[in-house]
Amino acid sequence: MEKQLHLNLLASRPPMAGGFQSSSKMKMGPGRKRDFSPLPWSQYFETMEDVVVENENGKDIFRIYCSGSHGPVLLLLHGGGHSALSWAVFTAIICSRINCRVVAMDLRAHGDTKVKNPEDLSADTMAKDIGKVVEALYGDNPPPIMLIGHSMGGAIAVHTATANHVPSLLGLCVIDVVEGTAMDALNSMQNFLRSRPKTFKSLENAIEWSVKSGQIRNIESARVSMGGQVKRCEESTSSSGVSNSIGEGIIEEEEDEEVEEESNKKRAKEDDPEVWFLPVLVFLMWSVWVLERLKNYLNSSTQTKKESIFTWRVELSKTEKYWEGWFKGLSALFLTSPVPKLLLLAGVDRLDKDLTIGQMQGKFQMQVLPQCGHAVHEDAPEKVADALATFMVRHKFTEFKEGYLC
């Protein structure tokens, strides 16, 4: 389980032992109860748009969130299972630090992006997606671009950079993803995914679980980003079960009534004609009772269908065949990229041999941000923004905003 806590494959973390379960109520203890209601993207980004990309199979639509009007572009790539909304709090902070533009995108099969082939999550395909979105946004003359990726998004950023899909690439920032640790964690990945709740009774419930389980340690970030991880789905199991049981009951009672009606007809012929109305009265009373039950059932069924639950947007267990391709050879690719590089880690134990040697040789800048989970940019957005701002100003990519004291 300890390896899972240092998992570099996803932006999520397994629940802690004895931690929050989605169906239970947590005791908040003394003090003010925390607010787990969702926050809107518009509180952190200036605009949202869908970028249409042409390909061989038709059109793919990539959802992006943007802020800023001048300066280099920070192209933000999220981790597996997450969305561009995981960068929301970080975006608001970095835009207050330096002159820059932010473009955070939902990767293929994630968030609100819609592609023709969502099953293809290979590193090559996803890296090409980045290049196509950049081309769709800026044409043949893109501005200077800094690629920043977390976990899976960090791996895709490295693949994008080394394949030269972004010709105006300025620099590369990778957050908490290292080849050695990621490859070691692949064997325990499926167990981790099975440990997560499959559904949540509400978005607030999902937000609370993410905080209590340690997946996201910053409650503000969780309130805006969890909406990109889960989606609303109709609850159908309970309604179908009710439908079957009641439906069978109605059918059985209808069959009983046919037998009773035949018997009544025979008695009507044999008895005094003045009692002919008795079977009719019984039939009418039964009809009213059946109609009342049917009405109640329809009302109950309609109400059940309106009750929704939330489930994960991405079934990460089905992407297993691509995991090795994301991370194998990643350290060498990162070290050979010719642009200035920054590696941000949640702990020094994540460094593998190649990166340790490369760091000693000064091939990249590294900074460790302690007391963070795997979702470093969500847990400590201010620290990540400070590290990135300092890095970009040092390399003269941009300048601090007037009045900001670093």
Side-chain angles (χ1 to χ4, degrees):
M1 195 65 181
E2 185 64 22
K3 281 188 177 180
Q4 291 171 243
L5 294 178
H6 300 297
L7 189 65
N8 288 307
L9 178 60
L10 303 173
S12 54
R13 291 159 49 87
M16 294 180 291
F20 176 75
Q21 299 298 322
S22 60
S23 61
S24 63
K25 293 184 179 180
M26 293 297 297
K27 294 182 179 180
M28 303 303 296
R32 186 176 179 182
K33 184 177 180 180
R34 287 188 284 180
D35 184 2
F36 295 108
S37 61
L39 294 171
W41 66 265
S42 55
Q43 188 169 319
Y44 303 91
F45 297 101
E46 294 175 3
T47 61
M48 175 188 72
E49 63 179 288
D50 290 324
V51 178
V52 179
V53 171
E54 300 280 352
N55 58 42
E56 298 175 355
N57 301 322
K59 295 180 179 179
D60 290 335
I61 302 175
F62 291 87
R63 171 66 55 86
I64 66 171
Y65 300 84
C66 306
S67 287
S69 58
H70 65 283
V73 172
L74 309 183
L75 184 53
L76 310 179
L77 310 179
H78 60 79
H82 283 231
S83 77
L85 296 179
S86 69
W87 298 99
V89 179
F90 165 82
T91 294
I93 296 172
I94 194 67
C95 286
S96 70
R97 301 285 200 267
I98 57 175
N99 295 313
C100 66
R101 288 171 279 178
V102 168
V103 175
M105 65 178 287
D106 287 345
L107 297 174
R108 170 177 292 260
H110 288 72
D112 289 308
T113 283
K114 308 295 181 185
V115 297
K116 295 295 183 181
N117 187 11
E119 289 78 25
D120 184 4
L121 293 179
S122 65
D124 181 60
T125 296
M126 297 179 79
K128 288 179 180 177
D129 287 341
I130 308 304
K132 290 176 181 177
V133 169
V134 169
E135 184 179 5
L137 286 173
Y138 305 112
D140 297 329
N141 190 28
I145 294 176
M146 176 90 178
L147 273 177
I148 305 170
H150 169 250
S151 195
M152 179 197 75
I156 301 305
V158 173
H159 285 281
T160 303
T162 54
N164 198 31
H165 290 312
V166 180
S168 61
L169 187 64
L170 197 64
L172 179 62
C173 176
V174 173
I175 302 177
D176 212 42
V177 56
V178 170
E179 177 186 353
T181 309
M183 295 300 291
D184 289 342
L186 294 186
N187 292 332
S188 59
M189 187 59 202
Q190 289 290 3
N191 289 333
F192 162 62
L193 293 177
R194 283 192 290 268
S195 73
R196 303 191 304 176
K198 289 182 173 57
T199 59
F200 302 94
K201 61 184 178 182
S202 65
L203 180 52
E204 289 82 358
N205 184 233
I207 294 169
E208 185 173 3
W209 173 84
S210 71
V211 174
K212 298 294 180 62
S213 68
Q215 176 180 267
I216 304 173
R217 300 183 182 184
N218 183 324
I219 189 170
E220 181 184 6
S221 186
R223 291 174 64 191
V224 65
S225 72
M226 276 304 288
Q229 287 195 62
V230 298
K231 62 181 179 180
R232 186 190 302 271
C233 62
E234 295 298 329
E235 173 66 88
S236 59
T237 54
S238 60
S239 61
S240 61
V242 172
S243 175
N244 291 336
S245 60
I246 293 180
E248 292 171 359
I250 292 176
I251 292 173
E252 290 173 358
E253 289 167 67
E254 287 176 345
E255 291 174 350
D256 292 340
E257 176 57 26
E258 289 178 2
V259 175
E260 184 179 351
E261 188 175 354
E262 289 296 325
S263 177
N264 288 336
K265 287 180 180 179
K266 290 181 181 180
R267 286 198 299 270
K269 291 179 181 179
E270 296 171 359
D271 299 337
D272 191 293
E274 293 180 3
V275 298
W276 64 269
F277 65 92
L278 290 176
V280 176
L281 180 61
V282 171
F283 175 78
L284 290 175
M285 292 176 64
W286 176 86
S287 298
V288 171
W289 178 79
V290 169
L291 289 174
E292 188 66 24
R293 283 191 66 183
L294 184 60
K295 184 177 72 171
N296 292 338
Y297 159 66
L298 292 175
N299 290 338
S300 174
S301 178
T302 301
Q303 183 178 0
T304 301
K305 289 181 179 179
K306 289 181 180 179
E307 294 177 354
S308 299
I309 59 175
F310 286 77
T311 189
W312 302 103
R313 287 177 181 261
V314 184
E315 292 188 59
L316 288 169
S317 60
K318 295 183 178 180
T319 68
E320 183 175 6
K321 62 182 177 180
Y322 298 113
W323 296 348
E324 185 173 333
W326 294 343
F327 304 111
K328 190 173 183 178
L330 187 64
S331 293
L333 291 176
F334 177 74
L335 292 171
T336 56
S337 179
V339 297
K341 298 175 287 294
L342 174 64
L343 178 62
L344 299 179
L345 299 175
V348 291
D349 58 315
R350 285 158 164 79
L351 270 187
D352 57 26
K353 180 180 177 180
D354 290 342
L355 290 180
T356 300
I357 296 173
Q359 199 270 335
M360 293 174 64
Q361 295 174 341
K363 292 184 177 180
F364 63 93
Q365 181 180 332
M366 185 186 77
Q367 186 166 340
V368 177
L369 302 177
Q371 298 179 337
C372 292
H374 179 49
V376 181
H377 61 300
E378 294 200 67
D379 293 349
E382 290 193 358
K383 292 181 179 179
V384 173
D386 288 341
L388 185 64
T390 301
F391 175 83
M392 295 189 69
V393 171
R394 179 183 295 130
H395 286 278
K396 302 187 185 305
F397 294 159
T398 187
E399 296 177 348
F400 286 113
K401 281 195 170 181
E402 185 177 354
Y404 170 67
L405 299 177
C406 58

